[in-house]
Amino acid sequence: MLTRRELLKLGLLSGGYTVLASGSGLRRVFADDVSIPASPRLAAFSDLNPLPIPGIAQEVTPFYSPGYKDFIGSGTRFFEIHEEERTVQVHPGLGRKTSIWGYRDVNVSQSDLVLGPTFKVRMNEGGIVVRMKNDLPTTPAGAPDPLRGFGVPHMTTHLHGGHHPSRSDGFPDNIHIGGVLQRFVTVPPGENGSHFYDYCYPLLDPGSSTGTPDDTERPSTLWYHDHFFDFTGPNVYRGLAGFFLVFDEKDSDDETDQSSTALRLPSGEFDVPLVLQDKRVDANGKLIYSTFGHDGFLGDTFFVNGAVQPFHEVRRRKYRFRFLNGSNARFYRVFLTNSSGQAFPMDQIATEGGLLARPIRGIQSFLIAPAERVEVVVDFTNFSSNTRLYFENRQPQNEGALPGEGVLRRGTQLLELRVTGKKPEYDPSRVGNAKGELRPFAAISAAELRRATRKTFEFDDSDGGWVINDRFANLERALTTSPRNAPQIWSLESGGDWAHPVHIHLEFMRVLRRNEGLPPLNERDGMAKKNTVVIGGPNFGDVEIFVKFRDYPGPFVFHCHNLEHEDMRMMARNDVV
Amino acid sequence: MNRRELGGVWSLASILVSCVLAGFAPAELALAGTESYFPNVVLTTHENNTVRFYDDLVKGRVVLINFMFTNCKRFCPVTTPNLVKVQATLGERVGRDIFLYSITLDPATDTPEVLKDYAKKAGAGPGWTFLTGKAEDIGKLRRRLGVYNRDPVIDADKTRHSGLVIYGNDAIGRWAAIPGLNKPEVIVRAVLRVAEPGRP
């Protein structure tokens, strides 16, 4: 089959691509034909609509888990989470609650939030086992409706950004080895929690299995979400997502920590995870999604932590905000602004690959692609009480395939921050240690780069679906194998006028080059590690990354995290051997 | 009025309200409910019968739908034999509770007789219907089912048409798509997960 890239090489492509690449903006003739109803206009920042903050996942009594008897030690903690259908008031202006699929901690009898519980874990303390039960309904309630009956209630949960064995990675389909079914990892719905799967997260440093643990490769903000083959888009859109925060002696979840190693980043209620999502709802609060579009689904209503444009009170001190783009296809460019649109600086401290080597001070905005995380510290000390500030999205985007050009002068205010307090507060937190560092690490050495095996992966469209190296995802066979501990340089290339946020499972990436030049500071090796890199379109181009798969042999995947691209098979299996 | 009809009326009202609230007045309202999402256009089968797309082909059924044309040189020579194998694997369920539809992108050439000949040569069995109709109606169907390219130059060129197979279970409103160039067993497994909710 001919891919877009090949057609380009052969000179067979007419106007479309070149016109687009020059940025003159081709009309999307079919945008109106898809006929997805617009959402009702919902008032932003209602006093009745505070920012939802999910509860912290609580331990359960240790249970017998046969698959993990070698792993479970004295420090191992146990959790139980149920996938369920529930109704949530996502905005006070909607007459009815919205039916969603969500995760619920078994210790909580009822959840009224979209997001699942937030896990808080520490590295190298025995890991955790999470028993996930699938209580989802087999079929949708109500009258059949192609825009509302979406999603398939099979469970396979991916801890996104984690470093853990293949069997706990939420592989999208049951695992085949040599073409033979070896292990069921997807779980259909069952009565009263009868169908479950135990996920084991050792929470050990990468390299531990060979006695070379690398403590600079620790994650910070992870998330867990459904990853079912062909249906991740609708399933995550229905609500199956939650935060998973990782701490250690440096990032110790305690801003008053007196240990010399502790960074003392803002903690507790001053450490706020924020997931950005765009959706469509009808006036009854029902979620609307189209499985008939494959370029990427865009919503017209903006949710933060599962509520439509909520508000959050902040005190006059520093806060840590952990942004996660949990949208299917939308990119955001986030500014901190006041009501007249004036922008204020933020300090970036982390990406999805954990804490930066040192803070990037005074950024005016940041771009965040699907599945990426950006952590910032904002200091509200000098804002007077009653000031209203906003996290505002100024990224234009009219189609799922890729973000638009430029930056809007005024965008959509996603979250309102209401400053309270007559005086600045006592604030023991810091944005870096005394040396101005966070988690310094060495860039990959020249010698290691010289040793690396080179591979190229082309992300392209084909035949109405999406391919990597000309292949639709076939998870029964590996597209590539990665010998353990072998250094690799992957060239990630896009065939045309689409953006692809490429996510690799199991290990962080080091970004070496972007468009044959030095990558920007917030993704450059030596400063940042990455878990998702955007390629393609006029702005992102091709990327070269370094990756080394260290500890866990078995099948893993890498894929585009535009969820509609992923579901239309832009995914490949990578066997660590 | 049954529960489903009530649901439809309620949803219609709510969409109208939402359109007013949003200041949005599309030429063609996308109504809630299956009947109104799928255009109920008139088509002609390879047996020369006149059918309505929703009422006669889709309503209450598990279906696989693709777009093709008999002179297609690129995807159809792969997709059609793939679907023949899909049909063989699904066995006697095809025509009973699972139906295959192949809709031509070249209605000027693909008369019912031409389609009948194509179906016979391809080895398509009972329960698999080839369809033609007005070009405008087919275009509408194609776009509503998401079988289009965002680049109008490619979209207008039927020799580069999408090889997607749209599949759905209308009784529960669950729909999806899969590239028709996938292996037949992959397509079957995907379809059965939607046909039989809860299947492992």
Side-chain angles (χ1 to χ4, degrees):
Chain A
M1 69 191 91
L2 283 180
T3 62
R4 171 63 79 107
R5 177 172 287 267
E6 288 162 340
L7 289 167
L8 278 170
K9 282 179 189 159
L10 294 169
L12 292 177
L13 268 195
S14 52
Y17 176 73
T18 25
V19 170
L20 283 167
S22 67
S24 57
L26 202 63
R27 289 296 100 209
R28 305 298 179 208
V29 289
F30 299 131
D32 295 331
D33 293 331
V34 178
S35 296
I36 304 165
S39 305
R41 190 162 287 166
L42 299 168
F45 320 126
S46 157
D47 286 346
L48 300 173
N49 200 23
L51 176 74
I53 303 286
I56 306 302
Q58 301 296 316
E59 285 177 63
V60 296
T61 310
F63 46 79
Y64 176 65
S65 186
Y68 297 119
K69 58 182 186 301
D70 297 336
F71 152 74
I72 293 165
S74 59
T76 306
R77 299 194 296 150
F78 294 78
F79 297 84
E80 184 178 319
I81 304 293
H82 290 230
E83 278 191 359
E84 64 178 12
E85 184 169 72
R86 58 176 177 256
T87 58
V88 176
Q89 192 76 45
V90 300
H91 188 279
L94 286 166
R96 294 186 186 186
K97 289 185 174 182
T98 296
S99 174
I100 62 112
W101 290 353
Y103 298 104
R104 175 176 57 83
D105 186 339
V106 73
N107 294 298
V108 176
S109 62
Q110 191 183 330
S111 168
D112 55 3
L113 302 185
V114 176
L115 282 179
T118 297
F119 283 84
K120 281 190 168 185
V121 302
R122 290 179 77 91
M123 293 295 291
N124 303 309
E125 290 192 353
I128 67 169
V129 179
V130 182
R131 177 161 289 178
M132 288 253 180
K133 293 191 170 181
N134 185 353
D135 296 348
L136 292 172
T138 305
T139 55
D145 185 324
L147 294 180
R148 292 167 180 78
F150 58 87
V152 167
H154 280 247
M155 177 184 83
T156 178
T157 308
H158 175 49
L159 174 54
H160 184 124
H163 185 76
H164 43 248
S166 166
R167 59 171 290 167
S168 290
D169 194 49
F171 198 74
D173 206 347
N174 295 324
I175 293 177
H176 289 69
I177 305 288
V180 179
L181 178 62
Q182 290 285 313
R183 182 186 293 281
F184 282 99
V185 297
T186 74
V187 180
E191 301 276 318
N192 304 318
S194 57
H195 292 177
F196 64 87
Y197 193 88
D198 290 345
Y199 294 87
C200 151
Y201 306 125
L203 302 172
L204 295 170
D205 287 325
S208 291
S209 67
T210 51
T212 53
D214 183 350
D215 64 7
T216 69
E217 287 262 328
R218 292 177 182 174
S220 171
T221 303
L222 307 185
W223 61 308
Y224 59 102
H225 63 78
D226 190 68
H227 209 306
F228 188 53
F229 199 30
D230 291 345
F231 296 96
T232 298
N235 287 0
V236 172
Y237 183 88
R238 270 223 186 273
L240 290 170
F243 280 101
F244 190 104
L245 311 182
V246 183
F247 297 97
D248 67 352
E249 65 277 5
K250 275 195 158 191
D251 189 4
S252 64
D253 195 21
D254 179 3
E255 63 186 21
T256 64
D257 191 336
Q258 293 306 305
S259 148
S260 59
T261 54
L263 288 169
R264 304 209 310 262
L265 290 162
S267 67
E269 66 176 292
F270 310 110
D271 175 1
V272 185
L274 299 173
V275 56
L276 308 180
Q277 291 169 312
D278 59 331
K279 298 179 193 288
R280 286 171 190 259
V281 292
D282 67 20
N284 293 325
K286 278 202 166 181
L287 288 172
I288 293 173
Y289 176 83
S290 172
T291 53
F292 301 102
H294 313 296
D295 290 339
F297 185 84
L298 293 181
D300 59 1
T301 302
F302 292 87
F303 289 67
V304 183
N305 290 1
V308 179
Q309 291 173 293
F311 75 91
H312 190 60
E313 282 190 356
V314 293
R315 313 225 293 258
R316 296 178 60 186
R317 49 155 292 152
K318 289 191 286 302
Y319 279 71
R320 174 182 191 171
F321 292 104
R322 302 170 185 255
F323 283 89
L324 157 66
N325 183 346
S327 304
N328 286 34
R330 185 177 291 280
F331 289 60
Y332 299 80
R333 182 170 282 283
V334 178
F335 287 76
L336 174 68
T337 57
N338 64 13
S339 52
S340 56
Q342 183 187 354
F344 299 95
M346 303 172 273
D347 295 332
Q348 183 174 353
I349 59 166
T351 66
E352 66 277 0
L355 293 174
L356 298 171
R358 55 188 184 280
I360 303 175
R361 299 273 188 174
I363 60 170
Q364 288 292 308
S365 71
F366 57 87
L367 183 71
I368 184 167
E372 283 188 320
R373 283 85 79 196
V374 171
E375 297 186 36
V376 295
V377 172
V378 173
D379 192 345
F380 297 103
T381 306
N382 294 322
F383 291 102
S384 58
S385 186
N386 296 324
T387 304
R388 304 268 163 119
L389 297 165
Y390 303 90
F391 284 122
E392 180 178 331
N393 173 31
R394 292 184 176 176
Q395 179 61 50
Q397 187 167 7
N398 298 319
E399 55 175 339
L402 79 173
E405 293 284 321
V407 176
L408 298 170
R409 210 169 59 78
R410 293 304 301 273
T412 304
Q413 297 164 334
L414 306 171
L415 172 69
E416 183 175 82
L417 300 160
R418 299 179 177 176
V419 181
T420 62
K422 289 214 163 56
K423 282 191 260 177
E425 295 230 342
Y426 166 71
D427 182 357
S429 73
R430 302 184 304 190
V431 192
N433 64 16
K435 289 194 277 185
E437 292 170 335
L438 289 162
R439 198 186 295 281
F441 64 97
I444 302 299
S445 70
E448 184 91 329
L449 292 176
R450 274 196 302 276
R451 282 204 311 128
T453 311
R454 285 182 173 268
K455 294 178 184 170
T456 298
F457 296 104
E458 290 189 4
F459 291 70
D460 221 325
D461 75 321
S462 181
D463 318 334
W466 300 93
V467 290
I468 300 175
N469 285 1
D470 253 359
R471 306 262 285 274
F472 294 116
N474 174 1
L475 298 184
E476 294 184 15
R477 303 202 180 274
L479 181 71
T480 188
T481 54
S482 296
R484 274 171 78 193
N485 283 309
Q488 301 185 57
I489 294 172
W490 288 13
S491 183
L492 306 172
E493 303 179 0
S494 169
D497 185 38
W498 300 271
H500 302 298
V502 178
H503 168 48
I504 299 179
H505 287 214
L506 186 60
E507 293 277 357
F508 292 151
M509 302 175 248
R510 305 290 186 92
V511 182
L512 306 174
R513 298 176 79 73
R514 179 175 285 284
N515 273 332
E516 298 174 7
L518 198 60
L521 195 58
N522 61 3
E523 65 174 9
R524 188 183 306 162
D525 186 22
M527 176 59 111
K529 291 148 288 183
K530 292 287 285 178
N531 187 228
T532 305
V533 290
V534 187
I535 61 169
N539 294 326
F540 302 110
D542 299 338
V543 170
E544 211 172 74
I545 60 108
F546 175 92
V547 66
K548 185 159 74 175
F549 298 92
R550 284 168 276 196
D551 297 305
Y552 302 114
F556 292 87
V557 292
F558 63 100
H559 58 90
C560 178
H561 219 287
N562 173 317
L563 296 182
E564 284 71 37
H565 296 188
E566 175 184 341
D567 285 345
M568 209 41 65
R569 302 267 165 147
M570 192 172 249
M571 174 150 54
R573 172 167 157 178
N574 168 38
D575 280 8
V576 178
V577 295
Chain B
M1 190 176 271
N2 62 29
R3 198 167 64 98
R4 182 161 162 176
E5 286 162 338
L6 272 171
V9 170
W10 176 240
S11 303
L12 168 59
S14 65
I15 298 295
L16 288 171
V17 167
S18 72
C19 291
V20 171
L21 285 175
F24 173 74
E28 183 183 20
L29 281 177
L31 307 177
T34 290
E35 292 86 342
S36 45
Y37 182 79
F38 296 114
N40 204 12
V41 296
V42 174
L43 299 169
T44 306
T45 73
H46 69 279
E47 302 285 2
N48 216 4
N49 295 320
T50 301
V51 290
R52 285 197 164 265
F53 176 73
Y54 182 72
D55 288 348
D56 299 325
L57 303 180
V58 172
K59 194 170 187 174
R61 291 175 167 179
V62 174
V63 300
L64 290 81
I65 304 167
N66 79 322
F67 290 85
M68 47 67 71
F69 59 104
T70 57
N71 290 326
C72 166
K73 300 281 187 281
R74 191 171 164 200
F75 300 135
C76 311
V78 182
T79 308
T80 302
N82 255 0
L83 290 178
V84 169
K85 289 180 194 150
V86 168
Q87 178 173 34
T89 309
L90 292 171
E92 56 189 30
R93 294 188 64 173
V94 178
R96 192 181 69 208
D97 62 333
I98 302 178
F99 295 82
L100 278 73
Y101 302 116
S102 293
I103 304 172
T104 182
L105 293 169
D106 185 10
T109 307
D110 291 344
T111 60
E113 296 72 36
V114 172
L115 289 173
K116 187 170 183 173
D117 186 51
Y118 180 87
K120 193 177 166 193
K121 282 182 181 151
W128 184 353
T129 308
F130 289 74
L131 296 144
T132 185
K134 283 189 204 157
E136 184 194 341
D137 288 342
I138 290 170
K140 197 168 164 185
L141 261 184
R142 186 170 68 83
R143 290 192 289 274
R144 193 60 69 88
L145 292 170
V147 185
Y148 59 83
N149 194 295
R150 62 190 265 270
D151 181 339
V153 177
I154 295 177
D155 194 75
D157 180 356
K158 68 173 176 292
T159 68
R160 281 154 66 188
H161 75 92
S162 157
L164 289 184
V165 174
I166 308 301
Y167 62 99
N169 181 346
D170 183 62
I172 59 170
R174 194 169 278 163
W175 289 82
I178 189 164
L181 299 185
N182 272 297
K183 290 194 293 184
E185 59 268 29
V186 173
I187 298 175
V188 168
R189 201 139 61 94
V191 170
L192 289 181
R193 275 180 171 154
V194 164
E196 301 168 6
R199 182 188 169 91

